[in-house]
Amino acid sequence: MAFDVFEGEKIDARLALEEARARVDEAAADEARLASMQRIAERSADLDAVEAGYPGRATIAEALADAGISWAYLGLSEEDGVLAEEIRRGFGK
């Protein structure tokens, strides 16, 4: 009987640990997304200028490619670029 109690507590502890890890992972992802959004905001004027210089492009990435500029040149990662595209689509740009 005591073994069953210990085994049950062991399972409960394992589940609690898994839930805690999931919360930590989620918090880290949220923090990374916020940092990415801050980098994008800092480069918003540059992105606007590139878009204005290459009208009619479907994405910022296309405009950057036509301008011969990389995300890295602007201090952004590829992941930042994906988020920038999502944000700008959401705002109807």
Side-chain angles (χ1 to χ4, degrees):
M1 184 60 94
F3 179 72
D4 292 339
V5 171
F6 289 132
E7 192 64 30
E9 289 175 359
K10 182 178 171 182
I11 291 170
D12 290 345
R14 191 175 312 137
L15 291 174
L17 182 59
E18 288 174 10
E19 289 174 12
R21 284 183 183 147
R23 286 193 301 273
V24 167
D25 290 346
E26 185 177 323
D30 289 345
E31 187 175 319
R33 184 175 173 90
L34 178 59
S36 181
M37 291 173 73
Q38 289 172 335
R39 286 189 299 275
I40 293 165
E42 290 169 0
R43 293 302 190 175
S44 184
D46 296 327
L47 294 171
D48 290 343
V50 171
E51 279 186 311
Y54 295 88
R57 303 310 187 272
T59 65
I60 303 169
E62 289 177 5
L64 289 172
D66 288 348
I69 298 172
S70 68
W71 292 110
Y73 178 79
L74 295 175
L76 301 171
S77 67
E78 292 291 326
E79 293 80 14
D80 293 341
V82 171
L83 181 57
E85 296 281 3
E86 290 175 8
I87 291 169
R88 287 177 175 248
R89 271 195 308 267
F91 288 123
K93 281 197 167 190

